[in-house]
Amino acid sequence: DAEQQPAPRPEATQVAVLRADSDGVVLVQPVAQQPQGKVVLDTISYSDSGEVQLAGRARADVRVLVYLDNAAAGQFVAEANGSWSGGLEAVVPGVYTLRLDEVNAAGKVLSRLETPFKREAPEVLRPPVTDVAGQGAAAPLVRAVTVQKGDTLWAISQERYGSGFLYVRVFAANQDAIRNPDLIYP
């Protein structure tokens, strides 16, 4: 008679909760509630017109300066709760180094964040038109996903298809770019 060992209890993990609607993508619940003294980029999305939209968190009432490949691209002011957001106009499709500088009233850089960023072409972002009963209607379909550090096929398929178990669909459609579904790279 082998003694029954209790099943190991899974560790609790924190997840970010996003809400997407006609106003854009909003971070409802971040993984970490406080930015830990550093500027944080929570979301990169696109407006209906295809312009780049950024949102994040920083210290209250500071400015967040935005750079693409070290060229000034915009600036935002963090609100009293630390949240900031806004759009970048006329960003040409391509791959950039996105840099955020959190600066105080004197212009001193308090923290900095850099990450690769791929600005998708507007035609990739537009939903395809399908012919439904003779009427051209846009199908709700995301045709391109830019992989960032920390992304998983599970999360992408959860967002795209509503189930993480369908990661095999993402893998099958991208076998030329993904050698191992457990390892995807930006």
Side-chain angles (χ1 to χ4, degrees), residues 6-77:
R9 297 186 72 170
E11 289 186 33
T13 58
Q14 294 181 328
V15 295
V17 178
L18 302 172
R19 181 184 72 232
D21 58 22
S22 60
D23 295 328
V25 178
V26 176
L27 181 72
V28 176
Q29 174 185 312
V31 173
Q33 293 297 322
Q34 298 297 322
Q36 307 299 323
K38 296 180 181 179
V39 65
V40 175
L41 176 64
D42 289 322
T43 63
I44 302 174
S45 60
Y46 297 94
S47 69
D48 288 341
S49 63
E51 296 300 328
V52 176
Q53 301 288 307
L54 304 177
R57 293 167 286 138
R59 293 175 179 96
D61 304 315
V62 298
R63 287 183 302 140
V64 176
L65 306 180
V66 182
Y67 299 88
L68 295 174
D69 290 342
N70 292 320
Q75 69 175 316
F76 311 111
V77 176

Side-chain angles (χ1 to χ4, degrees), residues 15 138 160 179:
V15 295
R160 171 71 174 81
R179 284 181 251 157

Side-chain angles (χ1 to χ4, degrees), residues 105-151:
K108 179 182 176 191
V109 175
L110 304 173
S111 71
R112 175 173 286 165
L113 176 141
E114 287 191 8
T115 185
F117 163 61
K118 181 179 180 186
R119 186 346 176 173
E120 296 288 356
E123 57 273 10
V124 172
L125 300 173
R126 267 189 236 106
V129 175
T130 59
D131 193 19
V132 178
Q135 301 173 1
L141 173 68
V142 175
R143 297 186 303 179
V145 173
T146 302
V147 174
Q148 294 286 329
K149 183 178 179 180
D151 284 352

